[in-house]
Amino acid sequence: MALTRPVPQSIVDCQLTHISRTPIDVERARAQHAEYEDALRTCGCTVVQLPELRASPDSVFVEDVAIVLDDLAVLTRPGAPSRRDEVPPMAEALRPYRRLAALEAPATLDGGDVLVVDRTLWVGRTSRTNAEGISQLTRCVEGAGYVVRSIGVAGALHLKTAVTRVGPRHLLVNRDWVDASVFGGVSLIEVDPTEPFAANAVLIGDRVIHSTAFPRTHQRLRAAGIEVVTVDASELAKAEGGVTCCSLLVRGSEA
Ligand code: CIR
C-alpha cells in the first residue's frame, strides 16, 4: 500500500533549502502527482490518498513525517517547524496498520533522511535531522531488531537526495553528497555526473520509479538489469521534492 496526499495550493509557499524559488504551476503539479500515483499502481501498490492538508504547504511530501517499518511506524518531528502540523494526521492514518512510536522535542528528524537497508536504518545528519533525533529513533527501533547508523550528508537536503535503494543489493548514489564507501555488501550505481539529483528513486518490488529528468542515469539502471518506470516530476522538483517523498509505503497491508 502507498499513502499519498494531494498537492495543496499553498505549495507555492513551501520550504526551500538548496534551490531558489521559481513559480510552481499547481495544476501541473497535481497532474504530475496523479501520474506518479498511476506509476505506484503500475508497480503493484494500492494507493490510498489521504485528505488534503490545505494549510500545510509541504504536506504532499508524506515521506518526511513517518518511518514505516514492518514491525512499527515512528512518527518524526520534522526539522522545519512549518511541517510539524503534518504529524498528527499521519498518526491517525497509520494507526490501523502499525504500532506507533513518536519522536519528541528537542529531536528533529525528517523521513527523507532515513534509508532502510534490510535491518539497518542509515540516517543522514542534515539541517533537518539532529543527534537527538537519531538517538530517539534508535531507542524506538532497537527493540524490534533494527540497527541505526548515522551518516554525513553534504550539499543535499536529505540522505535520500543522495542515495536510495534500487534493488535488493543495489544502491543508486551521488558520491559528491555522501561517502558511499560505508555501505557494505551492496553494488553501487553512480548517477550520471550531469544529473546530480538523479539518486532519488522509489523501489517497489523489482521496479523503480524515477523522474524523466534523468535519462542518462536511466541507461545506467537499465544496464544493471533494473526496470525503470518514469514520471514527469518537474513541478514538485521546484518544491525540492523527489519521487520518494511523495509516498509512504506500507508493506503487507490491504487498503
Ligand atoms: C521541504 O523542504 O521540506 C520540502 N519543500 C521538500 C521535502 C522533500 N522531502 C524529501 O526529500 N523527503
Side-chain angles (χ1 to χ4, degrees):
M1 183 176 79
L3 301 180
T4 64
R5 250 191 224 293
V7 178
Q9 183 66 41
S10 59
I11 194 171
V12 297
D13 297 318
C14 67
Q15 290 287 329
L16 290 176
T17 306
H18 291 281
I19 63 172
S20 338
R21 198 168 296 278
T22 50
I24 296 176
D25 180 333
V26 175
E27 282 317 309
R28 191 151 178 257
R30 287 176 172 152
Q32 291 179 356
H33 189 252
E35 185 194 339
Y36 171 80
E37 291 176 324
D38 283 342
L40 290 167
R41 292 184 192 99
T42 299
C43 294
C45 288
T46 300
V47 175
V48 175
Q49 193 179 81
L50 304 173
E52 180 176 338
L53 298 180
R54 291 187 180 185
S56 297
D58 287 298
S59 51
V60 64
F61 303 122
V62 287
E63 170 183 68
D64 292 317
V65 292
I67 319 298
V68 182
L69 303 170
D70 289 346
D71 319 73
L72 77 161
V74 181
L75 299 162
T76 70
R77 184 166 181 272
S82 68
R83 301 204 55 188
R84 294 186 188 145
D85 287 349
E86 299 171 36
V87 178
M90 186 55 77
E92 294 321 306
L94 288 171
R95 201 178 300 284
Y97 305 106
R98 289 293 187 275
R99 169 170 72 84
L100 298 180
L103 306 188
E104 292 170 6
T108 65
L109 185 139
D110 280 9
D113 279 323
V114 180
L115 174 69
V116 181
V117 182
D118 303 326
R119 302 297 280 193
T120 301
L121 274 56
W122 293 94
V123 186
R125 297 186 298 270
T126 65
S127 61
R128 299 291 176 88
T129 294
N130 65 15
E132 177 65 17
I134 298 172
S135 302
Q136 288 191 22
L137 178 65
T138 306
R139 289 200 289 277
C140 290
V141 302
E142 63 190 357
Y146 293 92
V147 174
V148 172
R149 293 188 62 184
S150 80
I151 179 168
V153 178
L157 176 60
H158 286 129
L159 175 61
K160 280 189 278 192
T161 323
V163 56
T164 53
R165 278 182 74 202
V166 288
R169 303 254 63 88
H170 284 92
L171 296 180
L172 178 62
V173 63
N174 177 336
R175 299 188 91 140
D176 289 340
W177 291 341
V178 73
D179 174 10
S181 66
V182 297
F183 301 113
V186 289
S187 298
L188 299 176
I189 301 172
E190 293 188 43
V191 298
D192 186 274
T194 63
E195 298 173 346
F197 286 93
N200 187 262
V202 185
L203 174 66
I204 300 171
D206 52 9
R207 280 180 278 205
V208 156
I209 301 176
H210 205 215
S211 167
T212 51
F214 311 123
R216 292 166 188 259
T217 302
H218 296 163
Q219 286 173 12
R220 295 180 179 215
L221 291 168
R222 289 182 175 125
I226 294 165
E227 186 178 339
V228 182
V229 177
T230 59
V231 291
D232 183 353
S234 54
E235 287 304 313
L236 292 170
K238 295 178 186 172
E240 218 168 348
V243 284
T244 61
C245 353
C246 295
S247 57
L248 262 180
L249 302 177
V250 183
R251 285 210 298 198
S253 296
E254 298 292 323

